[in-house]
Amino acid sequence: MKEGPAAKSDKKVEHRFMKNINEQKDNLLSIMKSISNQFGDKCEVVLHDFSKGYENSVTAIENGHVTNRKVGSSITNLGLEYSEHDGDEMGIYNYTSTTKDGKILRSSTALLRDDEGKLIGSLCINFDITDFVLAENAIRSMTRSQDNRQMNEVFVQDVNELFEHYIEECIQLIGKPITLMTKDEKIKAIKYLDSKGVFSITKSGDRICDLFGISKFTLYKYLDEIRK
């Protein structure tokens, strides 16, 4: 009796792992070649076969100049640590390390297991990001000020905008409109404007007298008190 569609859909799909690295080596080599071609000669791709022993576990490698390794090279310390304990990890992803000659690597390692879950090898990608890090540092040095201070610099079209900016800051400093300021508050506001160099702006004194409802004589009197 043939199984109908419903019966077929009830079947569980079993995921079959390889028995050893050689069983899927051609497929793995094809994947390695694709990765190295995609990312160029700064991307090393390494296939480890632990059945050959940890001392010479590298069974295939693309762009070995990145870490100065070749077929027959040994397992790394990280690979050895993972080989020494059982687990169900499928990989170690997106970590960084530094080679003896100073290259900065961003790496990922896929752990390869057999049908029984035993670790039999690994497929590793080591991408040399040294140039990117140097470029990042160079860019950061250009976008960061020497003393790291954040300054509130206002870029305006003309000096009138700058004058208006300081008047608004005065109002915020005192906390009320100019028309409601007391004498002491007006002196405080004028002191702030003087500290910012506002009186260097042409005809600023006349404008401040109009805004604060005071005479020039009063303004100069306030400035004398402030500057003393």
Side-chain angles (χ1 to χ4, degrees):
M1 181 177 177
K2 291 185 178 181
E3 293 179 333
K8 286 184 179 179
S9 63
D10 291 336
K11 276 191 169 183
K12 292 183 179 179
V13 177
E14 294 183 359
H15 296 281
R16 182 177 178 277
F17 291 86
M18 68 185 84
K19 292 181 180 180
N20 54 64
I21 295 297
N22 283 330
E23 184 181 281
Q24 292 292 330
K25 190 170 182 179
D26 288 343
N27 289 331
L28 292 169
L29 291 176
S30 178
I31 292 170
M32 292 172 65
K33 185 67 71 175
S34 297
I35 294 171
S36 65
N37 285 340
Q38 174 70 27
F39 295 103
D41 62 3
K42 290 186 179 295
C43 182
E44 178 189 76
V45 191
V46 189
L47 178 63
H48 289 273
D49 183 354
F50 298 151
S51 69
K52 297 183 178 182
Y54 297 142
E55 295 82 3
N56 53 3
S57 62
V58 175
T59 189
I61 189 166
E62 295 283 338
N63 296 323
H65 59 269
V66 172
T67 61
N68 296 319
R69 290 182 297 171
K70 58 186 179 181
V71 171
S73 293
S74 73
I75 193 173
T76 65
N77 63 313
L78 186 63
L80 185 62
E81 289 170 16
Y82 270 83
S83 69
E84 287 300 303
H85 65 82
D86 294 328
D88 57 0
E89 294 98 342
M90 296 305 295
I92 319 152
Y93 308 114
N94 202 26
Y95 57 92
T96 57
S97 58
T98 305
T99 64
K100 288 181 180 179
D101 57 358
K103 295 188 187 80
I104 303 169
L105 307 181
R106 173 156 289 178
S107 306
S108 289
T109 297
L111 302 175
L112 306 176
R113 300 182 182 278
D114 64 11
D115 293 339
E116 297 177 353
K118 180 183 176 182
L119 191 63
I120 57 173
S122 63
L123 182 65
C124 309
I125 301 172
N126 301 305
F127 190 71
D128 181 1
I129 61 170
T130 309
D131 290 343
F132 295 103
V133 172
L134 294 175
E136 180 185 29
N137 291 338
I139 292 170
R140 187 180 291 118
S141 70
M142 296 299 293
T143 59
R144 182 177 55 201
S145 62
Q146 189 67 27
D147 55 9
N148 291 323
R149 287 185 297 170
Q150 181 68 36
M151 306 297 286
N152 181 27
E153 186 169 12
V154 180
F155 298 92
V156 297
Q157 295 296 322
D158 57 55
V159 76
N160 289 325
E161 286 184 54
L162 191 58
F163 180 86
E164 294 296 336
H165 165 74
Y166 282 120
I167 294 299
E168 287 298 322
E169 284 203 338
C170 270
I171 293 171
Q172 292 179 17
L173 176 68
I174 305 302
K176 63 174 69 171
I178 294 174
T179 54
L180 300 179
M181 290 182 188
T182 64
K183 174 186 173 183
D184 289 342
E185 289 169 341
K186 286 181 180 180
I187 292 174
K188 183 178 179 181
I190 291 170
K191 181 180 180 179
Y192 173 79
L193 293 173
D194 188 42
S195 71
K196 297 298 182 181
V198 172
F199 289 99
S200 297
I201 298 173
T202 304
K203 295 185 179 180
S204 59
D206 293 339
R207 296 180 66 181
I208 288 170
C209 286
D210 290 341
L211 287 170
F212 282 80
I214 57 176
S215 66
K216 281 192 175 181
F217 174 81
T218 301
L219 174 61
Y220 295 143
K221 181 181 177 183
Y222 288 168
L223 286 172
D224 283 342
E225 294 177 11
I226 289 165
R227 292 170 180 173
K228 286 179 181 179

